[in-house]
Amino acid sequence: MVYGFGSGEEAWLIAFQQFFGDPSREAVWFELDRFLEREYVHESGRRFKVETTVVDSGGAHTEEVYRYAAGRQRRHVYAVKGGSYSGRPLVERPSTNNRYRIPLFVLCVDTGKEIVISRFQISAPGPGYIHLPEWVDDEVLAQLTAERAVRKYVRGRGSVRVWLKQRERNEGLDMTVYALAGLYVAFPVASARSRMLEERAARWAAPPDQP
């Protein structure tokens, strides 16, 4: 999924692509490379490409993700992993405790899902609103709303909030959380991020032939 962010972290889903194949083989990763090189056109006429990419390193293909990110640091490709803790910021300082010595960002997905689900409830464009294009189908919509939060008693921790799947496939929600994490990875300081987004939104609103 490709998301764009504007002032107040207003978000636009720009593209959604699936790559079929074995992640242990390079062919799938080359497809991703080609996808990330795509050029998009802003409504002002300005052209842009993906600036920051995060790839989930959890699961059975951690080594392949590390290798992919290691060779693309200059293109701002980063490995991320969902953490099991709660009550923490979505993105904190990365670790480099891996054989490639690349930054790995462990995400508080609980926080990320809380942010994203709350933003889906915003009814009018503006800060935090998430724009979904007309081409989004029922399957993607179902993935975006595939989980709900419930309270559960955990021994030693008391009553905690956990996220329960309402259906098996929830990639859309996960990728939306990762897209937001990618924004925070690229601009980790909240005040600077807010200022940058506001300045960019104003600059991109002008047609490309204007200063």
Side-chain angles (χ1 to χ4, degrees):
M1 277 183 162
V2 177
Y3 276 90
F5 292 92
S7 180
E9 296 185 15
E10 187 171 359
W12 286 260
L13 174 58
I14 297 173
F16 174 71
Q17 180 71 49
Q18 297 181 75
F19 304 100
F20 298 96
D22 185 352
S24 67
R25 298 182 178 275
E26 291 187 341
V28 177
W29 298 100
F30 290 152
E31 282 191 65
L32 177 56
D33 276 336
R34 289 191 290 271
F35 176 75
L36 294 177
E37 283 298 312
R38 287 185 183 178
E39 194 172 62
Y40 302 93
V41 182
H42 188 271
E43 63 179 6
S44 68
R46 295 178 182 270
R47 296 179 177 274
F48 63 95
K49 293 183 178 180
V50 171
E51 295 184 27
T52 302
T53 302
V54 296
V55 186
D56 185 3
S57 66
H61 300 283
T62 301
E63 180 73 10
E64 287 82 359
V65 174
Y66 283 175
R67 188 184 306 121
Y68 182 79
R72 293 157 179 82
Q73 292 292 282
R74 292 185 177 181
R75 292 167 56 184
H76 307 291
V77 176
Y78 301 103
V80 299
K81 181 181 180 180
S84 58
Y85 45 75
S86 60
R88 303 280 292 276
L90 173 56
V91 179
E92 296 183 310
R93 290 181 178 273
S95 69
T96 55
N97 187 26
N98 55 77
R99 62 177 294 189
Y100 294 96
R101 308 301 295 173
I102 61 170
L104 169 66
F105 294 87
V106 179
L107 310 179
C108 182
V109 293
D110 182 80
T111 297
K113 288 177 181 179
E114 180 181 1
I115 294 172
V116 168
I117 294 299
S118 66
R119 291 184 179 182
F120 277 133
Q121 297 175 23
I122 299 175
S123 60
Y129 184 83
I130 300 176
H131 297 260
L132 299 178
E134 292 183 356
W135 50 258
V136 167
D137 59 19
D138 290 342
E139 172 60 26
V140 174
L141 290 174
Q143 290 183 22
L144 290 171
T145 56
E147 298 186 27
R148 66 183 180 91
V150 299
R151 304 299 298 185
K152 180 180 180 181
Y153 177 79
V154 176
R155 187 174 182 179
R157 296 175 60 191
S159 178
V160 299
R161 183 182 56 189
V162 297
W163 291 87
L164 296 182
K165 284 185 177 182
Q166 304 303 295
R167 66 197 307 271
E168 183 59 30
R169 298 193 61 180
N170 68 335
E171 302 98 301
L173 176 59
D174 282 346
M175 287 187 290
T176 302
V177 170
Y178 288 172
L180 183 64
L183 175 67
Y184 290 8
V185 166
F187 304 97
V189 179
S191 59
R193 179 171 63 246
S194 178
R195 184 170 58 254
M196 179 278 301
L197 288 172
E198 186 173 350
E199 291 174 350
R200 278 195 174 190
R203 185 167 67 250
W204 279 64
D209 58 346
Q210 294 183 14

